[in-house]
Amino acid sequence: MKKALEGTIVLDLGQIYNGPYCSLMLAFQGAKVIKIEPINGENLRVRRKGDCHELLMLNSNKLGVSLDLKSEEGKEIFLELVKRADVVVENFSLGAMERLGLGYDVLSTINPRIIYASGKGYGLEGPYANRPAMDLTIQAMGGVMATTGFADKPPVKAGPALCDFLGGIHLFGGIATALYQREKTGKGQLVEVSMHDTIYPTLASALGAYYSQGGKVSQRTGNQHSGMATAPYNVYPTEDGYIAILCVADRQWKSLLKVMEKEELLNDERFQTNIDRSANTYIVDEIVTNWTSNRKKLDIADMLIKANVPHAPVQSIAEVAEDPHLTYRGMIREIEHPKEGKIKVPGSPIRLSDSPLTEVFAAPMIGEHTDEVLQDLLGLTEGKLEELRDKNIIRSKEKMTQEK
Amino acid sequence: MKKALEGTIVLDLGQIYNGPYCSLMLAFQGAKVIKIEPINGENLRVRRKGDCHELLMLNSNKLGVSLDLKSEEGKEIFLELVKRADVVVENFSLGAMERLGLGYDVLSTINPRIIYASGKGYGLEGPYANRPAMDLTIQAMGGVMATTGFADKPPVKAGPALCDFLGGIHLFGGIATALYQREKTGKGQLVEVSMHDTIYPTLASALGAYYSQGGKVSQRTGNQHSGMATAPYNVYPTEDGYIAILCVADRQWKSLLKVMEKEELLNDERFQTNIDRSANTYIVDEIVTNWTSNRKKLDIADMLIKANVPHAPVQSIAEVAEDPHLTYRGMIREIEHPKEGKIKVPGSPIRLSDSPLTEVFAAPMIGEHTDEVLQDLLGLTEGKLEELRDKNIIRSKEKMTQEK
């Protein structure tokens, strides 16, 4: 069985999270992804001593090429690769590719079939386009912080790097769409995703409340519903941690009342519909808290599973890292890394029945596949590779080994 | 210019956020998306009185068909539509489609080219698959809450419905990939995305710290870096609000020191590299806080724009709703709704140069296009439509008007 993107060549200039996550998804769907890094590696390599685990998590199934794009010869080699490639992914700061002479105009002239995917903090144009942007700043500007945390406490960022990952996965979707369109038109195109743009729809609950009620609701609602439009909907204390519980349908509320042995409230006018319950959120929360606070979180979970009431224990990172469901599904995979030994890396959240992810192999070391790729795709000779190595225009596995 | 997905027919059974966001992206890329709802509308219709704004935000550019899939005749009509469709999107709870007799096995037998996209909380299989799941519960189970908030305070959810939206956009990416593969194979397939799976990679910073340091770091770090691996990286108080500031490159730190007029620290050993600064995070934060706390947030922003130091003011939801950058980029669009008047809805975060989003039109009312779609695609007569309406198997625009 051929994988969905088999035969597709991707030149991946991604760094940190956004670009690399996009190209990880391309690799998992069968594309040949060539991660092109500077001679000293991309920015994420140096976060901790040695290859940091974040890099290992996001660069599986890629080939590693180390190439100095600031040198003339390095640029020439890159342009030769572009002629043979289908997709270029980059998430440098605005204008960096143009300053290198490697902007979309140049690449699309050389190869009109190229799909050029650009992931930026604020996109390619607009009043903020020139500002430096990272996950933290986009969370601040985009409204994530305003809506996260408790009303009487400072704004707080979301723990996950959601702007980076939302940006990266939208970019993947755009590339796949452009590949499909190319089948019809024969032409490549520019795909652009601004991390900042991707946040706006995710605020639907808070924006819905803002637009409907003219901003009269609190923007930070702790663990209550962002629009204060669903109840119960909260994280409740237990004897040994916390548990999230919510009811989106009236039948779930009735079911919860039975589990809590509060049948006398079944016909209480204050709680009949979701609109009624939302108007009495604090009373609803008090009823549920009284019940959860002297029980254990997994005992409560067991009762709510049987009652079909939506809930989940709040899991720690250690619990997530060993989660049996994620492990069963192949979302957490233990693989072998030549230097690091056994490591745990993600599988693919996108599962296609005719393009399954069968094998995950470790992220490349800097320049691990430089020689292989330049020989295979461009036919460079060993002599030429050695010359380029001597000039520090490329870095190869051989050189790395010598350095040790 | 044809749009990327023009000619593609999508049957959208999506509800709330996950499925509808996926199909919104399909509609924005030119697919004909037919939103199929029960006679009384999907769950999100009833969150507030009238069509809630969240529904209007996520269902632009779709046709609305109201059809009772629980009736035999309703099922038959749906299956006839499947024969003519390319994609089915659903995010019902596990097994709901199978109980209706409309599972992937049935649909793919009727139309082997169908791409069946299933968005679930925990996916189609695995130990948690049967549990009811929503954004809040996945945030709890998936590690979002564990990593969000301050170390000495309870876990807190992220304000945006990030699990729903990450799920929906991964599903979109899977569908586009399957459409591309179908061009090669002629066959449809099953696309599956579990919201829970999509969270795991987004925790790269926290998981990186966990795997590298054996869980010795605090899992909730407030507004500091999730892996405590970057400094400065925080949200700092100002005279009139908060501002996020971070330095990922040493040159940015040097630039910040100059803006703060702290040149005497340029050569301080404690702050030379990111690793040095991360080891002295609290001192770094104190230096920056001393500078920000007696200035205004937009004054600081102006200075940091010039100095090229990554930063952003923490914007309120009201500021986000009127953001000039999002408005300039067409991410916030004011459109006309026949009942609600002028409303603001999102544009597309995925921008393709050869498939631009030119027009955004309002989400359908329940059954607004029932007659049009069933006449155009299935050739049903006016008499047949009337018969189906009388039996409450479909609901049409006409009937809605009569009811008023």
Side-chain angles (χ1 to χ4, degrees), chain A residues 22-231:
Chain A
C22 169
S23 55
L24 180 70
M25 293 300 107
L26 293 166
F28 281 171
Q29 293 301 335
K32 182 189 192 104
V33 175
I34 301 167
K35 181 177 178 68
I36 298 178
E37 296 181 80
I39 301 300
N40 293 318
E42 66 138 299
N43 281 331
L44 191 52
R45 295 256 181 207
V46 296
R47 183 175 284 180
R48 275 189 283 274
K49 284 165 196 163
D51 286 354
C52 80
H53 197 88
E54 297 90 305
L55 183 122
L56 300 177
M57 285 181 68
L58 298 176
N59 292 284
S60 301
N61 291 31
K62 302 181 188 177
L63 301 172
V65 165
S66 179
L67 179 64
D68 178 13
L69 293 177
K70 292 183 177 166
S71 70
E72 282 313 306
E73 275 184 285
K75 280 191 230 296
E76 278 166 35
I77 290 169
F78 181 74
L79 292 173
E80 287 303 312
L81 289 170
V82 168
K83 289 182 191 167
R84 288 153 184 86
D86 299 280
V87 178
V88 171
V89 177
E90 64 91 11
N91 66 315
F92 291 122
S93 58
L94 186 72
M97 289 293 280
E98 288 73 16
R99 283 192 297 276
L100 289 169
L102 302 174
Y104 174 62
D105 288 351
V106 175
L107 305 197
S108 61
T109 306
I110 287 177
N111 178 0
R113 284 176 57 83
I114 202 78
I115 292 164
Y116 183 106
S118 184
K120 299 276 176 266
Y122 292 115
L124 295 173
E125 54 170 14
Y128 307 162
N130 276 300
R131 299 190 190 175
M134 281 90 184
D135 191 79
L136 184 80
T137 59
I138 301 296
Q139 289 207 24
M141 192 68 106
V144 177
M145 289 185 186
T147 55
T148 302
F150 297 93
D152 58 349
K153 297 269 168 7
V156 59
K157 77 177 165 72
L162 70 139
C163 305
D164 274 321
F165 284 86
L166 276 166
I169 193 62
H170 278 81
L171 199 60
F172 169 83
I175 292 167
T177 306
L179 281 167
Y180 177 74
Q181 193 172 15
R182 197 180 68 170
E183 292 294 302
K184 314 282 182 187
T185 63
K187 289 196 320 183
Q189 60 182 306
L190 174 66
V191 179
E192 183 208 352
V193 171
S194 156
M195 279 160 42
H196 186 224
D197 285 352
T198 68
I199 297 302
Y200 180 74
T202 71
L203 295 168
S205 297
L207 287 167
Y210 174 79
Y211 288 128
S212 304
Q213 296 161 44
K216 271 172 277 173
V217 289
S218 167
Q219 51 183 355
R220 268 193 299 290
T221 58
N223 287 311
Q224 293 180 296
H225 186 263
S226 303
M228 296 300 277
T230 305

Side-chain angles (χ1 to χ4, degrees), chain B residues 12 33-37 45 59 61-67 361-374 395-397 400:
Chain B
D12 173 19
V33 175
I34 301 167
K35 181 177 177 70
I36 298 178
E37 297 181 80
R45 295 256 183 208
N59 292 285
N61 292 31
K62 302 181 188 176
L63 301 171
V65 165
S66 180
L67 179 64
F361 57 87
M365 288 178 277
I366 302 173
E368 185 173 344
H369 308 94
T370 302
D371 292 6
E372 178 187 328
V373 168
L374 298 185
R395 175 169 169 183
S396 308
K397 195 176 181 179
M400 276 169 34

Side-chain angles (χ1 to χ4, degrees), chain B residues 28 46 48 61 68 74 80 83 137 163 193 228 231 264 269 279 281 321 332 347:
Chain B
F28 281 172
V46 296
R48 275 188 283 272
N61 292 31
D68 178 12
E80 287 302 312
K83 288 183 192 168
T137 60
C163 305
V193 172
M228 295 300 277
E264 70 272 21
E269 279 183 0
T281 295
I332 303 178

Side-chain angles (χ1 to χ4, degrees), chain B residues 264-382:
Chain B
E264 70 272 21
L265 300 177
L266 280 169
N267 296 314
D268 195 308
E269 279 183 0
R270 294 172 297 174
F271 313 126
Q272 285 307 299
T273 69
N274 186 46
I275 292 171
D276 298 330
R277 290 189 298 276
S278 295
N280 295 293
T281 295
Y282 294 99
I283 308 172
V284 168
D285 277 347
E286 197 186 336
I287 293 165
V288 180
T289 301
N290 285 342
W291 179 69
T292 58
S293 52
N294 55 2
R295 287 174 170 77
K296 291 204 156 50
K297 71 176 177 179
L298 293 183
D299 292 343
I300 298 170
D302 280 344
M303 294 165 83
L304 296 181
I305 287 170
K306 285 178 201 123
N308 214 30
V309 173
H311 71 280
V314 175
Q315 290 207 118
S316 69
I317 280 297
E319 287 168 323
V320 169
E322 308 296 332
D323 190 281
H325 186 75
L326 293 174
T327 305
Y328 176 93
R329 290 177 61 77
M331 218 17 242
I332 303 178
R333 300 199 184 209
E334 191 170 78
I335 64 168
E336 201 63 39
H337 184 280
K339 278 169 66 184
E340 311 282 331
K342 284 197 199 310
I343 57 171
K344 286 191 174 172
V345 296
S348 176
I350 299 175
R351 294 153 76 101
L352 272 65
S353 58
D354 286 352
S355 179
L357 178 59
T358 44
E359 191 202 359
V360 175
F361 57 87
M365 288 178 277
I366 302 173
E368 185 173 344
H369 308 94
T370 302
D371 292 6
E372 178 187 328
V373 168
L374 298 185
Q375 281 169 337
D376 287 0
L377 288 184
L378 304 185
L380 297 198
T381 61
E382 188 44 57

Side-chain angles (χ1 to χ4, degrees), chain A residues 190-384:
Chain A
L190 174 66
V191 179
E192 183 208 352
V193 171
S194 156
M195 279 160 42
H196 186 224
D197 285 352
T198 68
I199 297 302
Y200 180 74
T202 71
L203 295 168
S205 297
L207 287 167
Y210 174 79
Y211 288 128
S212 304
Q213 296 161 44
K216 271 172 277 173
V217 289
S218 167
Q219 51 183 355
R220 268 193 299 290
T221 58
N223 287 311
Q224 293 180 296
H225 186 263
S226 303
M228 296 300 277
T230 305
Y233 182 115
N234 214 331
V235 172
Y236 300 92
T238 72
E239 277 183 3
D240 57 348
Y242 293 87
I243 189 163
I245 300 174
L246 76 161
C247 296
V248 288
D250 298 339
R251 68 180 145 72
Q252 293 165 341
W253 168 247
K254 292 195 167 144
S255 197
L256 178 61
L257 285 176
K258 286 175 194 160
V259 173
M260 297 191 301
E261 297 180 349
K262 286 277 178 191
E263 280 93 343
E264 70 271 23
L265 299 177
L266 279 169
N267 296 315
D268 194 309
E269 280 184 0
R270 294 171 298 173
F271 312 126
Q272 285 308 298
T273 68
N274 186 45
I275 292 170
D276 298 331
R277 290 190 298 276
S278 296
N280 295 291
T281 295
Y282 294 99
I283 307 173
V284 168
D285 277 347
E286 196 186 337
I287 293 166
V288 180
T289 301
N290 285 341
W291 180 68
T292 57
S293 52
N294 55 3
R295 286 173 172 78
K296 291 203 155 49
K297 72 176 177 178
L298 292 183
D299 292 342
I300 298 169
D302 279 343
M303 294 165 84
L304 296 180
I305 287 170
K306 285 180 201 120
N308 215 30
V309 173
H311 72 281
V314 175
Q315 289 207 118
S316 68
I317 281 295
E319 287 169 323
V320 170
E322 308 295 332
D323 189 282
H325 186 75
L326 293 174
T327 305
Y328 176 93
R329 291 176 59 78
M331 219 16 240
I332 303 178
R333 300 198 183 209
E334 192 171 76
I335 63 167
E336 201 65 39
H337 184 280
K339 280 168 67 182
E340 311 281 331
K342 285 198 196 309
I343 56 171
K344 287 191 175 173
V345 296
S348 176
I350 299 175
R351 293 154 76 102
L352 272 65
S353 58
D354 286 351
S355 180
L357 178 60
T358 45
E359 193 202 357
V360 175
F361 57 89
M365 288 177 278
I366 302 173
E368 184 173 345
H369 307 95
T370 301
D371 293 5
E372 179 188 326
V373 168
L374 299 185
Q375 282 170 336
D376 287 359
L377 288 184
L378 305 185
L380 298 197
T381 61
E382 187 45 54
K384 180 69 186 174

Side-chain angles (χ1 to χ4, degrees), chain A residues 1-4 354, chain B residues 113 178-189:
Chain A
M1 189 190 287
K2 276 200 178 177
K3 300 194 72 180
D354 286 351
Chain B
R113 285 177 57 83
L179 281 167
Y180 177 73
Q181 193 171 16
R182 197 179 69 172
E183 293 293 301
K184 313 281 182 186
T185 63
K187 289 196 321 184
Q189 60 182 306

